[in-house]
PDB file of all heavy atoms in Angstrom:
ATOM      1  N   TYR A   1      72.490  90.353 149.542  1.00 97.00           N
ATOM      2  CA  TYR A   1      72.211  89.980 148.219  1.00 97.00           C
ATOM      3  C   TYR A   1      73.396  89.817 147.379  1.00 97.00           C
ATOM      4  O   TYR A   1      74.246  90.608 147.393  1.00 97.00           O
ATOM      5  CB  TYR A   1      71.165  90.974 147.428  1.00 97.00           C
ATOM      6  CG  TYR A   1      69.909  90.918 148.092  1.00 97.00           C
ATOM      7  CD1 TYR A   1      69.310  92.209 148.657  1.00 97.00           C
ATOM      8  CD2 TYR A   1      69.024  89.918 148.119  1.00 97.00           C
ATOM      9  CE1 TYR A   1      67.937  92.225 149.144  1.00 97.00           C
ATOM     10  CE2 TYR A   1      67.733  89.968 148.628  1.00 97.00           C
ATOM     11  CZ  TYR A   1      67.184  91.190 149.197  1.00 97.00           C
ATOM     12  OH  TYR A   1      65.944  91.261 149.753  1.00 97.00           O
ATOM     13  N   ALA A   2      73.416  88.693 146.649  1.00 97.00           N
ATOM     14  CA  ALA A   2      74.778  88.467 146.071  1.00 97.00           C
ATOM     15  C   ALA A   2      74.422  87.584 144.752  1.00 97.00           C
ATOM     16  O   ALA A   2      73.590  86.776 144.700  1.00 97.00           O
ATOM     17  CB  ALA A   2      75.826  87.815 146.868  1.00 97.00           C
ATOM     18  N   LEU A   3      75.219  87.847 143.725  1.00 97.00           N
ATOM     19  CA  LEU A   3      75.102  87.096 142.430  1.00 97.00           C
ATOM     20  C   LEU A   3      76.406  87.115 141.708  1.00 97.00           C
ATOM     21  O   LEU A   3      77.079  88.056 141.547  1.00 97.00           O
ATOM     22  CB  LEU A   3      74.106  87.807 141.533  1.00 97.00           C
ATOM     23  CG  LEU A   3      73.841  87.071 140.182  1.00 97.00           C
ATOM     24  CD1 LEU A   3      73.183  85.707 140.393  1.00 97.00           C
ATOM     25  CD2 LEU A   3      72.974  87.878 139.324  1.00 97.00           C
ATOM     26  N   GLN A   4      76.789  85.817 141.466  1.00 97.00           N
ATOM     27  CA  GLN A   4      78.025  85.582 140.483  1.00 97.00           C
ATOM     28  C   GLN A   4      77.569  85.451 139.130  1.00 97.00           C
ATOM     29  O   GLN A   4      76.776  84.584 138.839  1.00 97.00           O
ATOM     30  CB  GLN A   4      78.938  84.359 140.878  1.00 97.00           C
ATOM     31  CG  GLN A   4      80.111  84.222 140.014  1.00 97.00           C
ATOM     32  CD  GLN A   4      80.937  83.086 140.358  1.00 97.00           C
ATOM     33  OE1 GLN A   4      80.573  82.068 140.953  1.00 97.00           O
ATOM     34  NE2 GLN A   4      82.212  83.172 140.135  1.00 97.00           N
ATOM     35  N   THR A   5      77.899  86.343 138.257  1.00 96.00           N
ATOM     36  CA  THR A   5      77.268  86.306 136.871  1.00 96.00           C
ATOM     37  C   THR A   5      78.261  85.554 135.942  1.00 96.00           C
ATOM     38  O   THR A   5      79.243  84.967 136.403  1.00 96.00           O
ATOM     39  CB  THR A   5      77.273  87.769 136.425  1.00 96.00           C
ATOM     40  OG1 THR A   5      78.587  88.336 136.158  1.00 96.00           O
ATOM     41  CG2 THR A   5      76.515  88.776 137.414  1.00 96.00           C
ATOM     42  N   ILE A   6      77.838  85.565 134.630  1.00 94.00           N
ATOM     43  CA  ILE A   6      78.817  85.054 133.673  1.00 94.00           C
ATOM     44  C   ILE A   6      80.013  85.893 133.371  1.00 94.00           C
ATOM     45  O   ILE A   6      79.952  87.038 133.905  1.00 94.00           O
ATOM     46  CB  ILE A   6      78.059  84.617 132.477  1.00 94.00           C
ATOM     47  CG1 ILE A   6      77.514  85.964 131.827  1.00 94.00           C
ATOM     48  CG2 ILE A   6      77.033  83.511 132.699  1.00 94.00           C
ATOM     49  CD1 ILE A   6      76.813  85.647 130.462  1.00 94.00           C
ATOM     50  N   HIS A   7      80.919  85.354 132.709  1.00 94.00           N
ATOM     51  CA  HIS A   7      82.308  85.991 132.594  1.00 94.00           C
ATOM     52  C   HIS A   7      82.066  87.475 131.886  1.00 94.00           C
ATOM     53  O   HIS A   7      81.508  87.490 130.789  1.00 94.00           O
ATOM     54  CB  HIS A   7      83.204  85.174 131.721  1.00 94.00           C
ATOM     55  CG  HIS A   7      84.658  85.557 131.931  1.00 94.00           C
ATOM     56  ND1 HIS A   7      85.629  84.921 131.028  1.00 94.00           N
ATOM     57  CD2 HIS A   7      85.257  86.178 132.804  1.00 94.00           C
ATOM     58  CE1 HIS A   7      86.737  85.359 131.479  1.00 94.00           C
ATOM     59  NE2 HIS A   7      86.568  86.235 132.498  1.00 94.00           N
ATOM     60  N   GLY A   8      82.570  88.464 132.563  1.00 95.00           N
ATOM     61  CA  GLY A   8      82.635  89.738 132.050  1.00 95.00           C
ATOM     62  C   GLY A   8      81.292  90.562 132.096  1.00 95.00           C
ATOM     63  O   GLY A   8      81.245  91.602 131.609  1.00 95.00           O
ATOM     64  N   ARG A   9      80.309  89.972 132.612  1.00 97.00           N
ATOM     65  CA  ARG A   9      79.055  90.668 132.618  1.00 97.00           C
ATOM     66  C   ARG A   9      78.567  91.231 134.009  1.00 97.00           C
ATOM     67  O   ARG A   9      77.335  91.696 134.115  1.00 97.00           O
ATOM     68  CB  ARG A   9      77.880  89.619 132.211  1.00 97.00           C
ATOM     69  CG  ARG A   9      78.151  89.006 130.857  1.00 97.00           C
ATOM     70  CD  ARG A   9      78.353  90.006 129.822  1.00 97.00           C
ATOM     71  NE  ARG A   9      78.446  89.338 128.322  1.00 97.00           N
ATOM     72  CZ  ARG A   9      79.601  89.043 127.687  1.00 97.00           C
ATOM     73  NH1 ARG A   9      80.740  89.546 128.277  1.00 97.00           N
ATOM     74  NH2 ARG A   9      79.556  88.532 126.546  1.00 97.00           N
ATOM     75  N   ALA A  10      79.418  91.344 134.998  1.00 98.00           N
ATOM     76  CA  ALA A  10      79.100  91.932 136.172  1.00 98.00           C
ATOM     77  C   ALA A  10      78.507  93.295 136.184  1.00 98.00           C
ATOM     78  O   ALA A  10      77.597  93.756 136.777  1.00 98.00           O
ATOM     79  CB  ALA A  10      80.230  91.783 137.236  1.00 98.00           C
ATOM     80  N   ALA A  11      79.168  94.200 135.390  1.00 98.00           N
ATOM     81  CA  ALA A  11      78.801  95.544 135.217  1.00 98.00           C
ATOM     82  C   ALA A  11      77.431  95.611 134.726  1.00 98.00           C
ATOM     83  O   ALA A  11      76.617  96.522 135.031  1.00 98.00           O
ATOM     84  CB  ALA A  11      79.953  96.342 134.511  1.00 98.00           C
ATOM     85  N   ALA A  12      77.191  94.866 133.699  1.00 98.00           N
ATOM     86  CA  ALA A  12      75.891  94.818 133.031  1.00 98.00           C
ATOM     87  C   ALA A  12      74.773  94.522 133.934  1.00 98.00           C
ATOM     88  O   ALA A  12      73.695  95.169 133.969  1.00 98.00           O
ATOM     89  CB  ALA A  12      75.910  93.964 131.796  1.00 98.00           C
ATOM     90  N   VAL A  13      74.935  93.374 134.725  1.00 98.00           N
ATOM     91  CA  VAL A  13      74.025  92.942 135.686  1.00 98.00           C
ATOM     92  C   VAL A  13      73.835  94.016 136.786  1.00 98.00           C
ATOM     93  O   VAL A  13      72.694  94.268 137.227  1.00 98.00           O
ATOM     94  CB  VAL A  13      74.413  91.513 136.199  1.00 98.00           C
ATOM     95  CG1 VAL A  13      73.505  91.119 137.358  1.00 98.00           C
ATOM     96  CG2 VAL A  13      74.436  90.594 135.110  1.00 98.00           C
ATOM     97  N   ALA A  14      75.009  94.596 137.394  1.00 98.00           N
ATOM     98  CA  ALA A  14      74.820  95.650 138.352  1.00 98.00           C
ATOM     99  C   ALA A  14      74.080  96.810 137.887  1.00 98.00           C
ATOM    100  O   ALA A  14      73.244  97.383 138.562  1.00 98.00           O
ATOM    101  CB  ALA A  14      76.230  95.964 138.793  1.00 98.00           C
ATOM    102  N   THR A  15      74.201  97.136 136.605  1.00 98.00           N
ATOM    103  CA  THR A  15      73.427  98.220 135.967  1.00 98.00           C
ATOM    104  C   THR A  15      72.013  97.928 136.077  1.00 98.00           C
ATOM    105  O   THR A  15      71.239  98.855 136.460  1.00 98.00           O
ATOM    106  CB  THR A  15      74.069  98.567 134.534  1.00 98.00           C
ATOM    107  OG1 THR A  15      75.311  98.955 134.627  1.00 98.00           O
ATOM    108  CG2 THR A  15      73.071  99.591 133.891  1.00 98.00           C
ATOM    109  N   GLY A  16      71.575  96.775 135.488  1.00 97.00           N
ATOM    110  CA  GLY A  16      70.207  96.454 135.616  1.00 97.00           C
ATOM    111  C   GLY A  16      69.560  96.347 136.896  1.00 97.00           C
ATOM    112  O   GLY A  16      68.481  96.813 137.317  1.00 97.00           O
ATOM    113  N   LEU A  17      70.360  95.848 137.844  1.00 98.00           N
ATOM    114  CA  LEU A  17      69.931  95.858 139.356  1.00 98.00           C
ATOM    115  C   LEU A  17      69.647  97.264 139.752  1.00 98.00           C
ATOM    116  O   LEU A  17      68.655  97.559 140.413  1.00 98.00           O
ATOM    117  CB  LEU A  17      70.815  95.052 140.147  1.00 98.00           C
ATOM    118  CG  LEU A  17      70.447  94.980 141.606  1.00 98.00           C
ATOM    119  CD1 LEU A  17      69.250  94.288 141.878  1.00 98.00           C
ATOM    120  CD2 LEU A  17      71.601  94.213 142.365  1.00 98.00           C
ATOM    121  N   LYS A  18      70.599  98.158 139.630  1.00 98.00           N
ATOM    122  CA  LYS A  18      70.454  99.528 140.273  1.00 98.00           C
ATOM    123  C   LYS A  18      69.310 100.200 139.529  1.00 98.00           C
ATOM    124  O   LYS A  18      68.602 101.025 140.218  1.00 98.00           O
ATOM    125  CB  LYS A  18      71.748 100.197 139.939  1.00 98.00           C
ATOM    126  CG  LYS A  18      71.896 101.574 140.548  1.00 98.00           C
ATOM    127  CD  LYS A  18      71.744 101.455 142.090  1.00 98.00           C
ATOM    128  CE  LYS A  18      71.896 102.743 142.802  1.00 98.00           C
ATOM    129  NZ  LYS A  18      71.781 102.745 144.192  1.00 98.00           N
ATOM    130  N   ILE A  19      68.913  99.860 138.280  1.00 97.00           N
ATOM    131  CA  ILE A  19      67.837 100.514 137.658  1.00 97.00           C
ATOM    132  C   ILE A  19      66.501 100.207 138.324  1.00 97.00           C
ATOM    133  O   ILE A  19      65.720 100.937 138.521  1.00 97.00           O
ATOM    134  CB  ILE A  19      67.906 100.286 136.158  1.00 97.00           C
ATOM    135  CG1 ILE A  19      69.029 101.067 135.504  1.00 97.00           C
ATOM    136  CG2 ILE A  19      66.540 100.733 135.428  1.00 97.00           C
ATOM    137  CD1 ILE A  19      69.394 100.690 134.011  1.00 97.00           C
ATOM    138  N   VAL A  20      66.397  98.905 138.468  1.00 96.00           N
ATOM    139  CA  VAL A  20      65.045  98.342 138.901  1.00 96.00           C
ATOM    140  C   VAL A  20      64.921  98.393 140.456  1.00 96.00           C
ATOM    141  O   VAL A  20      63.796  98.404 140.972  1.00 96.00           O
ATOM    142  CB  VAL A  20      64.783  96.914 138.398  1.00 96.00           C
ATOM    143  CG1 VAL A  20      64.816  96.904 136.935  1.00 96.00           C
ATOM    144  CG2 VAL A  20      65.895  95.896 138.912  1.00 96.00           C
ATOM    145  N   ARG A  21      66.026  98.395 141.156  1.00 97.00           N
ATOM    146  CA  ARG A  21      66.124  98.548 142.655  1.00 97.00           C
ATOM    147  C   ARG A  21      67.063  99.678 143.092  1.00 97.00           C
ATOM    148  O   ARG A  21      68.083  99.336 143.632  1.00 97.00           O
ATOM    149  CB  ARG A  21      66.515  97.235 143.352  1.00 97.00           C
ATOM    150  CG  ARG A  21      65.521  96.113 143.039  1.00 97.00           C
ATOM    151  CD  ARG A  21      64.254  96.274 143.756  1.00 97.00           C
ATOM    152  NE  ARG A  21      64.531  96.308 145.267  1.00 97.00           N
ATOM    153  CZ  ARG A  21      64.678  95.332 146.132  1.00 97.00           C
ATOM    154  NH1 ARG A  21      64.527  94.159 145.626  1.00 97.00           N
ATOM    155  NH2 ARG A  21      64.850  95.640 147.342  1.00 97.00           N
ATOM    156  N   PRO A  22      66.613 100.905 142.768  1.00 96.00           N
ATOM    157  CA  PRO A  22      67.789 102.031 143.015  1.00 96.00           C
ATOM    158  C   PRO A  22      67.929 102.403 144.486  1.00 96.00           C
ATOM    159  O   PRO A  22      68.930 102.927 144.742  1.00 96.00           O
ATOM    160  CB  PRO A  22      66.889 103.278 142.402  1.00 96.00           C
ATOM    161  CG  PRO A  22      65.376 102.785 142.370  1.00 96.00           C
ATOM    162  CD  PRO A  22      65.409 101.446 142.092  1.00 96.00           C
ATOM    163  N   GLU A  23      67.059 101.650 145.377  1.00 97.00           N
ATOM    164  CA  GLU A  23      67.354 101.905 146.743  1.00 97.00           C
ATOM    165  C   GLU A  23      68.401 101.028 147.347  1.00 97.00           C
ATOM    166  O   GLU A  23      69.065 101.267 148.335  1.00 97.00           O
ATOM    167  CB  GLU A  23      65.991 101.605 147.642  1.00 97.00           C
ATOM    168  CG  GLU A  23      65.746 100.099 147.766  1.00 97.00           C
ATOM    169  CD  GLU A  23      64.994  99.609 146.547  1.00 97.00           C
ATOM    170  OE1 GLU A  23      64.857 100.212 145.495  1.00 97.00           O
ATOM    171  OE2 GLU A  23      64.612  98.403 146.662  1.00 97.00           O
ATOM    172  N   LEU A  24      68.974 100.027 146.534  1.00 98.00           N
ATOM    173  CA  LEU A  24      69.996  99.142 146.991  1.00 98.00           C
ATOM    174  C   LEU A  24      71.349  99.761 146.627  1.00 98.00           C
ATOM    175  O   LEU A  24      71.506 100.553 145.807  1.00 98.00           O
ATOM    176  CB  LEU A  24      69.987  97.788 146.262  1.00 98.00           C
ATOM    177  CG  LEU A  24      68.835  96.815 146.523  1.00 98.00           C
ATOM    178  CD1 LEU A  24      68.849  95.627 145.581  1.00 98.00           C
ATOM    179  CD2 LEU A  24      68.818  96.419 147.972  1.00 98.00           C
ATOM    180  N   THR A  25      72.339  99.560 147.790  1.00 98.00           N
ATOM    181  CA  THR A  25      73.591  99.873 147.494  1.00 98.00           C
ATOM    182  C   THR A  25      74.268  98.728 146.665  1.00 98.00           C
ATOM    183  O   THR A  25      74.216  97.457 147.103  1.00 98.00           O
ATOM    184  CB  THR A  25      74.385 100.003 148.797  1.00 98.00           C
ATOM    185  OG1 THR A  25      73.921 101.276 149.403  1.00 98.00           O
ATOM    186  CG2 THR A  25      75.846 100.170 148.631  1.00 98.00           C
ATOM    187  N   VAL A  26      74.830  98.975 145.539  1.00 98.00           N
ATOM    188  CA  VAL A  26      75.404  97.900 144.692  1.00 98.00           C
ATOM    189  C   VAL A  26      76.884  97.980 144.562  1.00 98.00           C
ATOM    190  O   VAL A  26      77.392  99.064 144.126  1.00 98.00           O
ATOM    191  CB  VAL A  26      74.677  98.012 143.335  1.00 98.00           C
ATOM    192  CG1 VAL A  26      75.280  96.809 142.394  1.00 98.00           C
ATOM    193  CG2 VAL A  26      73.278  97.841 143.317  1.00 98.00           C
ATOM    194  N   TRP A  27      77.543  96.826 144.920  1.00 98.00           N
ATOM    195  CA  TRP A  27      79.011  96.736 144.816  1.00 98.00           C
ATOM    196  C   TRP A  27      79.248  95.756 143.662  1.00 98.00           C
ATOM    197  O   TRP A  27      78.800  94.638 143.658  1.00 98.00           O
ATOM    198  CB  TRP A  27      79.739  96.217 146.150  1.00 98.00           C
ATOM    199  CG  TRP A  27      79.562  97.152 147.235  1.00 98.00           C
ATOM    200  CD1 TRP A  27      78.458  97.083 148.105  1.00 98.00           C
ATOM    201  CD2 TRP A  27      80.300  98.211 147.652  1.00 98.00           C
ATOM    202  NE1 TRP A  27      78.590  98.195 149.167  1.00 98.00           N
ATOM    203  CE2 TRP A  27      79.731  98.813 148.860  1.00 98.00           C
ATOM    204  CE3 TRP A  27      81.483  98.741 147.239  1.00 98.00           C
ATOM    205  CZ2 TRP A  27      80.260  99.846 149.508  1.00 98.00           C
ATOM    206  CZ3 TRP A  27      82.081  99.832 147.803  1.00 98.00           C
ATOM    207  CH2 TRP A  27      81.472 100.347 149.124  1.00 98.00           C
ATOM    208  N   GLN A  28      80.037  96.124 142.737  1.00 98.00           N
ATOM    209  CA  GLN A  28      80.276  95.354 141.473  1.00 98.00           C
ATOM    210  C   GLN A  28      81.892  94.969 141.512  1.00 98.00           C
ATOM    211  O   GLN A  28      82.647  96.013 141.454  1.00 98.00           O
ATOM    212  CB  GLN A  28      80.018  95.827 140.265  1.00 98.00           C
ATOM    213  CG  GLN A  28      80.207  95.060 139.025  1.00 98.00           C
ATOM    214  CD  GLN A  28      81.372  95.618 138.214  1.00 98.00           C
ATOM    215  OE1 GLN A  28      81.410  96.691 137.803  1.00 98.00           O
ATOM    216  NE2 GLN A  28      82.383  94.684 138.058  1.00 98.00           N
ATOM    217  N   VAL A  29      82.146  93.695 141.765  1.00 98.00           N
ATOM    218  CA  VAL A  29      83.603  93.330 141.984  1.00 98.00           C
ATOM    219  C   VAL A  29      84.048  92.552 140.761  1.00 98.00           C
ATOM    220  O   VAL A  29      83.553  91.461 140.461  1.00 98.00           O
ATOM    221  CB  VAL A  29      83.781  92.731 143.222  1.00 98.00           C
ATOM    222  CG1 VAL A  29      85.233  92.410 143.483  1.00 98.00           C
ATOM    223  CG2 VAL A  29      83.203  93.457 144.378  1.00 98.00           C
ATOM    224  N   SER A  30      85.200  92.822 140.163  1.00 98.00           N
ATOM    225  CA  SER A  30      85.722  92.079 139.081  1.00 98.00           C
ATOM    226  C   SER A  30      87.330  92.137 139.076  1.00 98.00           C
ATOM    227  O   SER A  30      87.960  93.139 139.679  1.00 98.00           O
ATOM    228  CB  SER A  30      85.446  92.691 137.662  1.00 98.00           C
ATOM    229  OG  SER A  30      84.020  92.482 137.408  1.00 98.00           O
ATOM    230  N   GLY A  31      87.911  91.202 138.466  1.00 97.00           N
ATOM    231  CA  GLY A  31      89.370  91.188 138.445  1.00 97.00           C
ATOM    232  C   GLY A  31      89.778  91.952 137.157  1.00 97.00           C
ATOM    233  O   GLY A  31      88.955  92.355 136.316  1.00 97.00           O
ATOM    234  N   ASP A  32      91.085  92.101 136.837  1.00 97.00           N
ATOM    235  CA  ASP A  32      91.485  92.766 135.623  1.00 97.00           C
ATOM    236  C   ASP A  32      91.127  91.928 134.390  1.00 97.00           C
ATOM    237  O   ASP A  32      90.915  92.627 133.357  1.00 97.00           O
ATOM    238  CB  ASP A  32      92.966  92.969 135.736  1.00 97.00           C
ATOM    239  CG  ASP A  32      93.848  91.842 136.236  1.00 97.00           C
ATOM    240  OD1 ASP A  32      93.620  91.435 137.438  1.00 97.00           O
ATOM    241  OD2 ASP A  32      94.633  91.349 135.553  1.00 97.00           O
ATOM    242  N   GLY A  33      91.079  90.573 134.495  1.00 94.00           N
ATOM    243  CA  GLY A  33      90.673  89.874 133.278  1.00 94.00           C
ATOM    244  C   GLY A  33      89.264  90.059 133.107  1.00 94.00           C
ATOM    245  O   GLY A  33      88.702  90.437 131.980  1.00 94.00           O
ATOM    246  N   ASP A  34      88.428  89.639 134.141  1.00 95.00           N
ATOM    247  CA  ASP A  34      86.929  89.686 134.031  1.00 95.00           C
ATOM    248  C   ASP A  34      86.306  91.118 133.659  1.00 95.00           C
ATOM    249  O   ASP A  34      85.471  91.379 132.882  1.00 95.00           O
ATOM    250  CB  ASP A  34      86.385  89.187 135.232  1.00 95.00           C
ATOM    251  CG  ASP A  34      84.846  89.210 135.257  1.00 95.00           C
ATOM    252  OD1 ASP A  34      84.132  88.362 134.554  1.00 95.00           O
ATOM    253  OD2 ASP A  34      84.265  90.115 135.964  1.00 95.00           O
ATOM    254  N   GLY A  35      87.016  92.044 134.211  1.00 97.00           N
ATOM    255  CA  GLY A  35      86.527  93.457 134.036  1.00 97.00           C
ATOM    256  C   GLY A  35      86.969  94.285 132.856  1.00 97.00           C
ATOM    257  O   GLY A  35      86.264  95.025 132.255  1.00 97.00           O
ATOM    258  N   LEU A  36      88.267  93.877 132.470  1.00 97.00           N
ATOM    259  CA  LEU A  36      88.953  94.638 131.337  1.00 97.00           C
ATOM    260  C   LEU A  36      89.070  93.990 129.980  1.00 97.00           C
ATOM    261  O   LEU A  36      89.317  94.518 129.019  1.00 97.00           O
ATOM    262  CB  LEU A  36      90.091  95.254 131.772  1.00 97.00           C
ATOM    263  CG  LEU A  36      90.021  96.315 132.941  1.00 97.00           C
ATOM    264  CD1 LEU A  36      91.397  96.802 133.227  1.00 97.00           C
ATOM    265  CD2 LEU A  36      88.955  97.346 132.726  1.00 97.00           C
TER     266      LEU A  36
END
């Protein structure tokens, strides 16, 4: 399962996914610009 989100929102989307689908292993990947 994979999703490219809008700029800077990967952690927020990953958080929502983990809450509603806690059985999934979630990897959230960002660069230093997108992430910080």
Side-chain angles (χ1 to χ4, degrees):
Y1 288 120
L3 178 65
Q4 183 179 28
T5 71
I6 59 177
H7 203 191
R9 304 303 187 259
V13 172
T15 296
L17 177 59
K18 187 63 181 181
I19 290 171
V20 299
R21 292 291 301 275
E23 74 280 8
L24 290 178
T25 291
V26 179
W27 299 89
Q28 181 253 306
V29 183
S30 289
D32 44 299
D34 177 70
L36 299 184

